[in-house]
Short mmCIF file of all heavy atoms in Angstrom, two decimals:
data_model
loop_
_atom_site.label_atom_id
_atom_site.label_comp_id
_atom_site.label_asym_id
_atom_site.label_seq_id
_atom_site.Cartn_x
_atom_site.Cartn_y
_atom_site.Cartn_z
N VAL V 10 -6.40 13.93 14.07
CA VAL V 10 -6.45 13.49 15.46
C VAL V 10 -7.37 14.45 16.23
O VAL V 10 -7.13 15.67 16.24
CB VAL V 10 -5.04 13.47 16.10
CG1 VAL V 10 -5.12 13.05 17.56
CG2 VAL V 10 -4.12 12.53 15.33
N LEU V 11 -8.41 13.91 16.83
CA LEU V 11 -9.37 14.74 17.56
C LEU V 11 -8.93 14.89 19.03
O LEU V 11 -8.75 13.89 19.72
CB LEU V 11 -10.77 14.14 17.50
CG LEU V 11 -11.33 13.88 16.10
CD1 LEU V 11 -12.81 13.46 16.20
CD2 LEU V 11 -11.19 15.09 15.20
N ALA V 12 -8.78 16.12 19.45
CA ALA V 12 -8.32 16.35 20.83
C ALA V 12 -8.86 17.68 21.36
O ALA V 12 -8.19 18.41 22.06
CB ALA V 12 -6.81 16.36 20.88
N ALA V 13 -10.12 17.96 21.00
CA ALA V 13 -10.68 19.24 21.43
C ALA V 13 -11.49 19.14 22.71
O ALA V 13 -11.79 20.13 23.35
CB ALA V 13 -11.55 19.82 20.31
N GLY V 14 -11.83 17.89 23.09
CA GLY V 14 -12.72 17.68 24.23
C GLY V 14 -12.16 18.23 25.53
O GLY V 14 -10.95 18.43 25.68
N GLY V 15 -13.06 18.46 26.49
CA GLY V 15 -12.67 19.09 27.74
C GLY V 15 -11.95 18.18 28.71
O GLY V 15 -11.11 18.62 29.49
N GLY V 16 -12.28 16.90 28.68
CA GLY V 16 -11.64 15.98 29.64
C GLY V 16 -11.94 16.37 31.07
O GLY V 16 -11.09 16.24 31.94
N ARG V 18 -13.59 15.07 33.41
CA ARG V 18 -13.53 14.05 34.46
C ARG V 18 -12.12 13.82 35.01
O ARG V 18 -11.96 13.20 36.05
CB ARG V 18 -14.12 12.72 33.96
CG ARG V 18 -15.65 12.73 33.98
CD ARG V 18 -16.21 11.44 33.44
NE ARG V 18 -16.19 11.42 31.99
CZ ARG V 18 -16.33 10.31 31.24
NH1 ARG V 18 -16.48 9.14 31.82
NH2 ARG V 18 -16.31 10.38 29.93
N MET V 24 -4.34 19.44 30.51
CA MET V 24 -5.21 18.92 29.45
C MET V 24 -5.17 17.39 29.45
O MET V 24 -4.10 16.80 29.60
CB MET V 24 -4.69 19.50 28.13
CG MET V 24 -5.20 18.87 26.88
SD MET V 24 -6.93 19.18 26.64
CE MET V 24 -7.22 18.33 25.10
N LYS V 25 -6.33 16.78 29.25
CA LYS V 25 -6.43 15.32 29.36
C LYS V 25 -5.37 14.57 28.55
O LYS V 25 -4.65 13.71 29.09
CB LYS V 25 -7.82 14.85 28.92
CG LYS V 25 -7.93 13.34 28.88
CD LYS V 25 -9.35 12.85 28.71
CE LYS V 25 -9.73 12.73 27.27
NZ LYS V 25 -11.00 11.99 27.11
N VAL V 26 -5.25 14.91 27.25
CA VAL V 26 -4.36 14.12 26.39
C VAL V 26 -2.88 14.35 26.70
O VAL V 26 -2.02 13.68 26.14
CB VAL V 26 -4.63 14.37 24.89
CG1 VAL V 26 -6.06 13.99 24.54
CG2 VAL V 26 -4.33 15.80 24.49
N ALA V 53 -4.36 18.15 13.87
CA ALA V 53 -4.90 17.92 15.21
C ALA V 53 -5.98 18.96 15.47
O ALA V 53 -5.77 20.15 15.24
CB ALA V 53 -3.80 18.02 16.24
N VAL V 54 -7.14 18.48 15.91
CA VAL V 54 -8.23 19.40 16.26
C VAL V 54 -8.12 19.70 17.74
O VAL V 54 -8.16 18.79 18.58
CB VAL V 54 -9.60 18.80 15.93
CG1 VAL V 54 -10.71 19.80 16.29
CG2 VAL V 54 -9.67 18.44 14.45
N VAL V 55 -7.92 20.97 18.07
CA VAL V 55 -7.74 21.36 19.46
C VAL V 55 -8.82 22.38 19.85
O VAL V 55 -9.34 23.09 19.00
CB VAL V 55 -6.33 21.96 19.71
CG1 VAL V 55 -5.26 20.89 19.47
CG2 VAL V 55 -6.07 23.16 18.81
N GLY V 56 -9.15 22.39 21.11
CA GLY V 56 -10.19 23.31 21.59
C GLY V 56 -9.87 23.69 23.01
O GLY V 56 -9.12 24.63 23.27
N HIS V 57 -10.37 22.89 23.96
CA HIS V 57 -10.09 23.13 25.37
C HIS V 57 -8.59 23.11 25.62
O HIS V 57 -7.88 22.24 25.12
CB HIS V 57 -10.77 22.06 26.22
CG HIS V 57 -12.24 22.29 26.37
ND1 HIS V 57 -12.76 23.14 27.31
CD2 HIS V 57 -13.28 21.79 25.67
CE1 HIS V 57 -14.08 23.16 27.20
NE2 HIS V 57 -14.42 22.35 26.21
N GLN V 78 -11.20 24.20 17.17
CA GLN V 78 -12.65 24.02 17.26
C GLN V 78 -13.11 24.78 18.52
O GLN V 78 -12.83 24.37 19.63
CB GLN V 78 -12.99 22.52 17.38
CG GLN V 78 -14.47 22.23 17.28
CD GLN V 78 -14.81 20.80 17.64
OE1 GLN V 78 -14.09 20.13 18.38
NE2 GLN V 78 -15.91 20.30 17.11
N THR V 80 -16.18 25.46 19.73
CA THR V 80 -17.20 24.77 20.53
C THR V 80 -17.26 23.32 20.08
O THR V 80 -17.14 23.04 18.89
CB THR V 80 -18.59 25.40 20.33
OG1 THR V 80 -18.87 25.42 18.92
CG2 THR V 80 -18.64 26.81 20.88
N GLN V 81 -17.41 22.42 21.04
CA GLN V 81 -17.36 21.00 20.73
C GLN V 81 -18.74 20.51 20.29
O GLN V 81 -19.53 20.02 21.08
CB GLN V 81 -16.82 20.21 21.93
CG GLN V 81 -15.30 20.23 22.01
CD GLN V 81 -14.70 21.60 22.28
OE1 GLN V 81 -14.92 22.17 23.34
NE2 GLN V 81 -13.97 22.16 21.32
N ASP V 82 -19.00 20.67 19.00
CA ASP V 82 -20.31 20.33 18.46
C ASP V 82 -20.36 18.94 17.84
O ASP V 82 -21.23 18.66 17.02
CB ASP V 82 -20.73 21.39 17.43
CG ASP V 82 -20.90 22.75 18.08
OD1 ASP V 82 -21.26 22.79 19.28
OD2 ASP V 82 -20.64 23.77 17.42
N GLY V 83 -19.42 18.10 18.20
CA GLY V 83 -19.46 16.72 17.75
C GLY V 83 -18.27 16.35 16.87
O GLY V 83 -17.57 17.20 16.34
N THR V 84 -18.09 15.04 16.72
CA THR V 84 -16.93 14.53 15.97
C THR V 84 -17.02 14.92 14.49
O THR V 84 -15.98 15.16 13.85
CB THR V 84 -16.81 13.00 16.13
OG1 THR V 84 -18.09 12.40 15.83
CG2 THR V 84 -16.41 12.62 17.54
N GLY V 85 -18.26 14.99 13.97
CA GLY V 85 -18.42 15.39 12.56
C GLY V 85 -18.02 16.84 12.36
O GLY V 85 -17.36 17.21 11.38
N HIS V 86 -18.39 17.66 13.31
CA HIS V 86 -18.03 19.08 13.30
C HIS V 86 -16.51 19.25 13.41
O HIS V 86 -15.89 20.04 12.68
CB HIS V 86 -18.76 19.78 14.46
CG HIS V 86 -18.49 21.25 14.55
ND1 HIS V 86 -17.78 21.79 15.60
CD2 HIS V 86 -18.83 22.28 13.74
CE1 HIS V 86 -17.69 23.11 15.43
NE2 HIS V 86 -18.32 23.43 14.31
N ALA V 87 -15.92 18.47 14.29
CA ALA V 87 -14.47 18.54 14.50
C ALA V 87 -13.72 18.18 13.21
O ALA V 87 -12.76 18.86 12.82
CB ALA V 87 -14.04 17.61 15.64
N VAL V 88 -14.16 17.12 12.55
CA VAL V 88 -13.48 16.70 11.32
C VAL V 88 -13.70 17.74 10.22
O VAL V 88 -12.80 18.01 9.42
CB VAL V 88 -13.95 15.28 10.90
CG1 VAL V 88 -13.47 14.94 9.49
CG2 VAL V 88 -13.43 14.25 11.90
N ILE V 90 -13.89 20.92 10.63
CA ILE V 90 -12.95 22.02 10.89
C ILE V 90 -11.53 21.62 10.48
O ILE V 90 -10.79 22.41 9.88
CB ILE V 90 -13.03 22.43 12.38
CG1 ILE V 90 -14.30 23.28 12.53
CG2 ILE V 90 -11.80 23.17 12.85
CD1 ILE V 90 -14.67 23.61 13.92
N VAL V 106 -9.13 9.02 10.81
CA VAL V 106 -9.49 9.83 11.97
C VAL V 106 -9.21 9.01 13.24
O VAL V 106 -9.63 7.85 13.34
CB VAL V 106 -10.98 10.24 11.92
CG1 VAL V 106 -11.36 11.02 13.19
CG2 VAL V 106 -11.25 11.07 10.67
N ALA V 107 -8.47 9.58 14.16
CA ALA V 107 -8.18 8.91 15.44
C ALA V 107 -8.42 9.90 16.58
O ALA V 107 -8.59 11.10 16.34
CB ALA V 107 -6.74 8.42 15.44
N TYR V 108 -8.43 9.40 17.81
CA TYR V 108 -8.61 10.26 18.99
C TYR V 108 -7.27 10.40 19.72
O TYR V 108 -6.43 9.51 19.67
CB TYR V 108 -9.62 9.65 19.97
CG TYR V 108 -11.02 9.47 19.42
CD1 TYR V 108 -11.93 8.65 20.09
CD2 TYR V 108 -11.45 10.12 18.27
CE1 TYR V 108 -13.23 8.48 19.62
CE2 TYR V 108 -12.74 9.94 17.79
CZ TYR V 108 -13.63 9.12 18.46
OH TYR V 108 -14.90 8.94 18.00
N GLY V 109 -7.13 11.50 20.44
CA GLY V 109 -5.86 11.77 21.10
C GLY V 109 -5.65 11.11 22.45
O GLY V 109 -4.60 11.27 23.07
N ASP V 110 -6.62 10.33 22.92
CA ASP V 110 -6.52 9.82 24.29
C ASP V 110 -6.45 8.29 24.37
O ASP V 110 -6.87 7.70 25.35
CB ASP V 110 -7.72 10.31 25.12
CG ASP V 110 -9.04 9.72 24.65
OD1 ASP V 110 -9.07 9.14 23.55
OD2 ASP V 110 -10.03 9.82 25.40
N THR V 111 -5.90 7.64 23.32
CA THR V 111 -5.84 6.17 23.31
C THR V 111 -4.38 5.72 23.37
O THR V 111 -3.78 5.38 22.35
CB THR V 111 -6.51 5.63 22.04
OG1 THR V 111 -5.89 6.25 20.89
CG2 THR V 111 -8.00 5.95 22.00
N ILE V 135 -14.66 1.17 9.32
CA ILE V 135 -14.74 1.37 10.78
C ILE V 135 -13.73 0.43 11.43
O ILE V 135 -13.72 -0.77 11.12
CB ILE V 135 -16.14 0.98 11.30
CG1 ILE V 135 -17.24 1.73 10.54
CG2 ILE V 135 -16.26 1.19 12.81
CD1 ILE V 135 -18.62 1.07 10.66
N LEU V 136 -12.90 0.95 12.31
CA LEU V 136 -12.09 0.04 13.13
C LEU V 136 -13.00 -0.34 14.29
O LEU V 136 -13.32 0.49 15.14
CB LEU V 136 -10.82 0.72 13.62
CG LEU V 136 -9.85 -0.19 14.39
CD1 LEU V 136 -9.28 -1.28 13.50
CD2 LEU V 136 -8.71 0.61 15.00
N PRO V 143 -20.81 -3.15 25.80
CA PRO V 143 -20.69 -2.09 24.79
C PRO V 143 -21.17 -0.73 25.28
O PRO V 143 -21.18 0.24 24.52
CB PRO V 143 -21.60 -2.59 23.67
CG PRO V 143 -22.65 -3.41 24.36
CD PRO V 143 -22.00 -4.00 25.59
N PHE V 144 -21.53 -0.62 26.56
CA PHE V 144 -22.14 0.60 27.07
C PHE V 144 -21.30 1.84 26.73
O PHE V 144 -20.10 1.88 26.93
CB PHE V 144 -22.35 0.52 28.59
CG PHE V 144 -23.02 1.74 29.14
CD1 PHE V 144 -24.41 1.90 29.02
CD2 PHE V 144 -22.29 2.76 29.74
CE1 PHE V 144 -25.03 3.04 29.50
CE2 PHE V 144 -22.91 3.91 30.21
CZ PHE V 144 -24.29 4.05 30.09
N GLY V 145 -22.00 2.86 26.21
CA GLY V 145 -21.34 4.14 25.93
C GLY V 145 -20.80 4.26 24.52
O GLY V 145 -20.54 5.37 24.06
N TYR V 146 -20.60 3.15 23.86
CA TYR V 146 -20.02 3.20 22.51
C TYR V 146 -21.09 3.27 21.43
O TYR V 146 -22.24 2.87 21.65
CB TYR V 146 -19.20 1.93 22.24
CG TYR V 146 -17.90 1.87 23.01
CD1 TYR V 146 -17.79 1.12 24.17
CD2 TYR V 146 -16.79 2.57 22.56
CE1 TYR V 146 -16.60 1.06 24.87
CE2 TYR V 146 -15.59 2.52 23.25
CZ TYR V 146 -15.51 1.76 24.41
OH TYR V 146 -14.31 1.71 25.09
N GLY V 147 -20.69 3.73 20.25
CA GLY V 147 -21.53 3.60 19.07
C GLY V 147 -21.53 2.14 18.63
O GLY V 147 -20.50 1.49 18.67
N ARG V 148 -22.73 1.63 18.26
CA ARG V 148 -22.83 0.22 17.84
C ARG V 148 -22.77 0.13 16.31
O ARG V 148 -23.37 0.95 15.61
CB ARG V 148 -24.14 -0.41 18.31
CG ARG V 148 -24.52 -0.15 19.76
CD ARG V 148 -23.52 -0.74 20.75
NE ARG V 148 -24.19 -0.98 22.02
CZ ARG V 148 -24.37 -0.09 22.98
NH1 ARG V 148 -23.90 1.14 22.83
NH2 ARG V 148 -25.01 -0.40 24.09
N VAL V 149 -22.06 -0.89 15.83
CA VAL V 149 -21.98 -1.12 14.39
C VAL V 149 -23.22 -1.93 13.97
O VAL V 149 -23.47 -3.01 14.49
CB VAL V 149 -20.69 -1.90 14.05
CG1 VAL V 149 -20.65 -2.23 12.55
CG2 VAL V 149 -19.46 -1.09 14.45
N ILE V 160 -23.73 3.26 11.97
CA ILE V 160 -23.35 3.24 13.39
C ILE V 160 -24.43 4.02 14.12
O ILE V 160 -24.83 5.10 13.68
CB ILE V 160 -21.99 3.94 13.62
CG1 ILE V 160 -20.85 3.19 12.91
CG2 ILE V 160 -21.69 4.05 15.12
CD1 ILE V 160 -19.51 3.94 12.93
N VAL V 161 -24.92 3.44 15.22
CA VAL V 161 -25.88 4.19 16.03
C VAL V 161 -25.24 4.47 17.39
O VAL V 161 -24.59 3.61 17.98
CB VAL V 161 -27.23 3.45 16.17
CG1 VAL V 161 -27.09 2.12 16.90
CG2 VAL V 161 -28.27 4.33 16.88
N GLU V 162 -25.40 5.71 17.84
CA GLU V 162 -24.83 6.09 19.13
C GLU V 162 -25.68 5.53 20.27
O GLU V 162 -26.89 5.36 20.13
CB GLU V 162 -24.74 7.61 19.24
CG GLU V 162 -23.72 8.22 18.30
CD GLU V 162 -22.35 7.61 18.48
OE1 GLU V 162 -21.80 7.69 19.58
OE2 GLU V 162 -21.81 7.05 17.50
N GLU V 163 -25.05 5.27 21.39
CA GLU V 163 -25.72 4.73 22.58
C GLU V 163 -27.05 5.43 22.85
O GLU V 163 -28.09 4.81 22.99
CB GLU V 163 -24.77 4.93 23.79
CG GLU V 163 -25.38 4.70 25.16
CD GLU V 163 -25.33 3.24 25.59
OE1 GLU V 163 -24.42 2.52 25.14
OE2 GLU V 163 -26.23 2.83 26.36
N LYS V 164 -26.99 6.77 22.87
CA LYS V 164 -28.19 7.53 23.28
C LYS V 164 -29.31 7.46 22.26
O LYS V 164 -30.47 7.74 22.59
CB LYS V 164 -27.81 8.99 23.53
CG LYS V 164 -26.98 9.13 24.80
CD LYS V 164 -27.00 10.54 25.35
CE LYS V 164 -26.48 10.57 26.79
NZ LYS V 164 -25.43 11.54 27.01
N ASP V 165 -28.97 7.15 20.99
CA ASP V 165 -29.98 7.10 19.94
C ASP V 165 -30.42 5.67 19.63
O ASP V 165 -31.25 5.47 18.74
CB ASP V 165 -29.42 7.75 18.66
CG ASP V 165 -29.00 9.19 18.89
OD1 ASP V 165 -29.88 10.03 19.14
OD2 ASP V 165 -27.79 9.47 18.87
N GLU V 175 -20.74 -5.29 18.81
CA GLU V 175 -19.66 -4.78 17.95
C GLU V 175 -19.71 -3.26 18.04
O GLU V 175 -20.73 -2.64 17.70
CB GLU V 175 -19.82 -5.25 16.50
CG GLU V 175 -18.63 -4.81 15.66
CD GLU V 175 -18.68 -5.26 14.19
OE1 GLU V 175 -19.72 -5.80 13.78
OE2 GLU V 175 -17.69 -5.07 13.48
N ILE V 176 -18.62 -2.67 18.50
CA ILE V 176 -18.63 -1.23 18.76
C ILE V 176 -17.69 -0.49 17.78
O ILE V 176 -16.77 -1.08 17.23
CB ILE V 176 -18.20 -0.91 20.21
CG1 ILE V 176 -16.84 -1.56 20.53
CG2 ILE V 176 -19.25 -1.39 21.20
CD1 ILE V 176 -15.76 -0.61 20.86
N ASN V 177 -17.99 0.78 17.63
CA ASN V 177 -17.11 1.67 16.86
C ASN V 177 -16.00 2.13 17.80
O ASN V 177 -16.26 2.77 18.82
CB ASN V 177 -17.92 2.87 16.36
CG ASN V 177 -17.03 3.99 15.84
OD1 ASN V 177 -15.95 3.76 15.32
ND2 ASN V 177 -17.51 5.23 15.97
N SER V 178 -14.74 1.80 17.48
CA SER V 178 -13.62 2.22 18.33
C SER V 178 -13.46 3.73 18.30
O SER V 178 -12.83 4.32 19.17
CB SER V 178 -12.33 1.56 17.85
OG SER V 178 -11.96 2.13 16.60
N GLY V 179 -14.01 4.35 17.22
CA GLY V 179 -13.82 5.79 17.03
C GLY V 179 -12.87 6.05 15.87
O GLY V 179 -12.88 7.13 15.27
N ILE V 180 -12.03 5.06 15.55
CA ILE V 180 -11.08 5.22 14.44
C ILE V 180 -11.76 4.83 13.14
O ILE V 180 -12.29 3.73 13.01
CB ILE V 180 -9.82 4.38 14.71
CG1 ILE V 180 -9.12 4.92 15.97
CG2 ILE V 180 -8.88 4.40 13.50
CD1 ILE V 180 -7.93 4.12 16.41
N LEU V 181 -11.79 5.78 12.23
CA LEU V 181 -12.46 5.56 10.94
C LEU V 181 -11.48 5.92 9.82
O LEU V 181 -10.61 6.78 9.99
CB LEU V 181 -13.70 6.46 10.84
CG LEU V 181 -14.80 6.28 11.89
CD1 LEU V 181 -15.86 7.37 11.74
CD2 LEU V 181 -15.46 4.91 11.77
N ASN V 199 -30.21 14.74 16.42
CA ASN V 199 -30.11 13.51 17.21
C ASN V 199 -30.21 13.89 18.68
O ASN V 199 -30.28 15.08 19.02
CB ASN V 199 -28.78 12.79 16.89
CG ASN V 199 -27.58 13.73 17.00
OD1 ASN V 199 -27.41 14.43 18.00
ND2 ASN V 199 -26.76 13.77 15.96
N LYS V 201 -28.13 13.99 21.15
CA LYS V 201 -27.10 14.87 21.73
C LYS V 201 -27.03 16.23 21.03
O LYS V 201 -26.35 17.14 21.52
CB LYS V 201 -25.72 14.20 21.64
CG LYS V 201 -25.50 13.14 22.74
CD LYS V 201 -24.19 12.42 22.53
CE LYS V 201 -23.12 12.86 23.51
NZ LYS V 201 -21.88 12.08 23.30
N GLU V 203 -25.53 16.83 18.29
CA GLU V 203 -24.16 16.98 17.78
C GLU V 203 -24.08 16.50 16.35
O GLU V 203 -24.89 15.69 15.90
CB GLU V 203 -23.19 16.13 18.63
CG GLU V 203 -22.96 16.65 20.03
CD GLU V 203 -21.91 15.84 20.78
OE1 GLU V 203 -21.49 14.78 20.26
OE2 GLU V 203 -21.54 16.28 21.88
N TYR V 204 -23.07 16.98 15.64
CA TYR V 204 -22.77 16.45 14.30
C TYR V 204 -21.94 15.18 14.48
O TYR V 204 -20.81 15.27 14.95
CB TYR V 204 -22.03 17.49 13.47
CG TYR V 204 -22.89 18.71 13.17
CD1 TYR V 204 -22.91 19.80 14.04
CD2 TYR V 204 -23.69 18.74 12.03
CE1 TYR V 204 -23.72 20.90 13.79
CE2 TYR V 204 -24.50 19.85 11.77
CZ TYR V 204 -24.51 20.91 12.66
OH TYR V 204 -25.30 22.00 12.40
N TYR V 205 -22.54 14.05 14.18
CA TYR V 205 -21.87 12.76 14.38
C TYR V 205 -21.06 12.39 13.13
O TYR V 205 -21.63 12.23 12.04
CB TYR V 205 -22.88 11.64 14.58
CG TYR V 205 -23.68 11.64 15.86
CD1 TYR V 205 -24.83 10.86 15.95
CD2 TYR V 205 -23.29 12.38 16.98
CE1 TYR V 205 -25.58 10.81 17.12
CE2 TYR V 205 -24.05 12.34 18.16
CZ TYR V 205 -25.19 11.56 18.22
OH TYR V 205 -25.94 11.51 19.35
N LEU V 206 -19.78 12.18 13.29
CA LEU V 206 -18.98 11.70 12.17
C LEU V 206 -19.46 10.32 11.72
O LEU V 206 -19.37 9.96 10.55
CB LEU V 206 -17.50 11.63 12.59
CG LEU V 206 -16.52 11.21 11.50
CD1 LEU V 206 -16.51 12.22 10.35
CD2 LEU V 206 -15.11 11.05 12.08
N THR V 207 -19.99 9.58 12.68
CA THR V 207 -20.43 8.20 12.43
C THR V 207 -21.59 8.11 11.45
O THR V 207 -21.81 7.06 10.84
CB THR V 207 -20.83 7.57 13.77
OG1 THR V 207 -21.65 8.53 14.49
CG2 THR V 207 -19.62 7.25 14.60
N ASP V 208 -22.31 9.23 11.27
CA ASP V 208 -23.43 9.22 10.30
C ASP V 208 -22.94 9.09 8.86
O ASP V 208 -23.73 8.80 7.96
CB ASP V 208 -24.27 10.51 10.44
CG ASP V 208 -25.14 10.49 11.69
OD1 ASP V 208 -25.27 9.41 12.32
OD2 ASP V 208 -25.69 11.55 12.05
N THR V 231 -7.76 0.76 21.60
CA THR V 231 -8.54 1.96 21.25
C THR V 231 -9.29 2.52 22.45
O THR V 231 -10.14 3.38 22.31
CB THR V 231 -9.53 1.65 20.11
OG1 THR V 231 -10.38 0.56 20.52
CG2 THR V 231 -8.80 1.27 18.84
N GLU V 232 -8.96 2.00 23.63
CA GLU V 232 -9.63 2.50 24.83
C GLU V 232 -9.03 3.85 25.24
O GLU V 232 -7.82 4.03 25.24
CB GLU V 232 -9.48 1.48 25.96
CG GLU V 232 -10.47 1.73 27.06
CD GLU V 232 -10.78 0.45 27.83
OE1 GLU V 232 -11.34 -0.49 27.23
OE2 GLU V 232 -10.47 0.41 29.02
N GLY V 233 -9.92 4.75 25.63
CA GLY V 233 -9.47 6.07 26.07
C GLY V 233 -9.49 6.17 27.58
O GLY V 233 -10.20 5.43 28.26
N ASN V 235 -10.59 8.55 30.52
CA ASN V 235 -11.40 9.74 30.79
C ASN V 235 -11.23 10.28 32.20
O ASN V 235 -11.54 11.43 32.47
CB ASN V 235 -12.88 9.43 30.55
CG ASN V 235 -13.14 9.11 29.10
OD1 ASN V 235 -12.84 9.91 28.22
ND2 ASN V 235 -13.66 7.92 28.83
C1 LIG P 501 -17.50 8.54 19.87
C2 LIG P 501 -18.22 7.91 18.68
C3 LIG P 501 -18.70 6.52 19.06
C4 LIG P 501 -17.52 5.68 19.51
C5 LIG P 501 -16.76 6.37 20.62
C6 LIG P 501 -15.48 5.62 20.90
C7 LIG P 501 -19.29 9.69 17.40
C8 LIG P 501 -20.54 10.42 17.14
N1 LIG P 501 -19.34 8.75 18.33
O1 LIG P 501 -18.45 8.71 20.88
O2 LIG P 501 -19.35 5.90 17.96
O3 LIG P 501 -17.97 4.41 19.91
O4 LIG P 501 -16.41 7.71 20.27
O5 LIG P 501 -14.85 6.17 22.00
O6 LIG P 501 -18.30 9.93 16.76
N2 LIG P 501 -14.10 15.54 20.01
C9 LIG P 501 -13.70 16.74 19.48
N3 LIG P 501 -14.65 17.67 19.21
C10 LIG P 501 -15.97 17.43 19.40
C11 LIG P 501 -16.36 16.19 19.92
C12 LIG P 501 -15.40 15.26 20.22
O7 LIG P 501 -12.52 17.00 19.30
O8 LIG P 501 -16.76 18.33 19.11
C13 LIG P 501 -13.08 14.55 20.34
C14 LIG P 501 -12.99 14.27 21.82
O9 LIG P 501 -12.01 15.08 22.45
C15 LIG P 501 -12.61 12.80 21.86
C16 LIG P 501 -13.24 12.23 20.59
O10 LIG P 501 -13.45 13.33 19.74
O11 LIG P 501 -11.22 12.64 21.76
C17 LIG P 501 -14.51 11.48 20.84
O12 LIG P 501 -15.46 12.32 21.44
P1 LIG P 501 -16.46 11.81 22.53
O13 LIG P 501 -17.30 12.94 22.93
O14 LIG P 501 -15.75 11.05 23.58
O15 LIG P 501 -17.34 10.79 21.65
P2 LIG P 501 -18.26 9.62 22.20
O16 LIG P 501 -19.57 10.15 22.53
O17 LIG P 501 -17.53 8.83 23.20
#
Side-chain angles (χ1 to χ4, degrees):
V10 178
L11 304 188
R18 280 178 281 163
M24 166 68 180
K25 174 169 88 168
V26 300
V54 180
V55 295
H57 283 277
Q78 188 190 26
T80 55
Q81 279 65 65
D82 296 330
T84 51
H86 181 247
V88 169
I90 283 171
V106 177
Y108 298 165
D110 67 347
T111 55
I135 306 161
L136 185 65
F144 182 79
Y146 288 100
R148 313 297 205 275
V149 176
I160 296 171
V161 63
E162 292 305 301
E163 168 87 28
K164 289 200 165 128
D165 302 293
E175 185 178 8
I176 54 118
N177 167 31
S178 70
I180 296 175
L181 300 173
N199 51 50
K201 281 175 105 177
E203 289 185 351
Y204 294 89
Y205 291 164
L206 183 62
T207 46
D208 286 348
T231 57
E232 197 154 297
N235 295 304

